[in-house]
Amino acid sequence: MANENLNKLCMDESDPMLNVVVRCKHRILLNLQTSWSKLNLKRRFWFCPFYGSKNYKFFRWRDKEEVDPRSSFIFPRLVNKINELEQEFIRQVHIDNLRKSNLLLERRLNRRWKWCRFNMKILLCILICVVAMFINNQSIQG
């Protein structure tokens, strides 16, 4: 998802290769993409969305890639920042999930505790009634 946005940012509208029509055997019109891997950083390519399925491997690098030298400074930092943000997002989702599960556990424990307190009150009332009946019975006999 982030790579698609970066591809759009890095498109040079005057680049003649943007208008090149490249289709795979599925007759799909392919868009020029940008590699964000450390090994091929900034290299442009086309590939079929079905790449790798049923031994189909349509992939083509754009020849004679010329990239603005400033991008060798900016691109790696952008990629690192995106990775950091994605990791932070994953951590935050994990923390949120833990908080939700803790809240659910706390609610369950509160419900059980309320149930226990209710049962204790009933038992206490029954015990008081039994003691009162016993005392009443003793006073009648005595």
Side-chain angles (χ1 to χ4, degrees), residues 7-30:
N7 281 332
K8 290 177 186 174
L9 283 173
C10 296
M11 293 293 182
D12 179 9
E13 293 178 7
S14 64
D15 186 354
M17 295 303 278
L18 289 177
N19 299 322
V20 172
V21 176
V22 178
R23 293 184 187 272
C24 62
K25 80 171 190 177
H26 298 101
R27 307 299 303 152
I28 297 172
L29 180 61
L30 304 176

Side-chain angles (χ1 to χ4, degrees), residues 74 84 96 102 120-121 141:
I74 294 171
E84 287 173 17
D96 289 346
N102 284 344
M120 298 273 286
K121 287 178 184 177
Q141 291 178 356

Side-chain angles (χ1 to χ4, degrees), residues 72-103:
S72 12
F73 176 77
I74 294 171
F75 281 178
R77 284 161 181 76
L78 285 173
V79 170
N80 287 339
K81 187 63 177 174
I82 288 170
N83 289 336
E84 287 173 17
L85 291 171
E86 286 175 346
Q87 290 302 316
E88 179 59 31
F89 177 76
I90 290 169
R91 278 192 295 272
Q92 194 59 45
V93 166
H94 183 66
I95 289 169
D96 289 346
N97 287 340
L98 285 174
R99 285 182 182 150
K100 286 177 187 174
S101 63
N102 284 344
L103 281 174

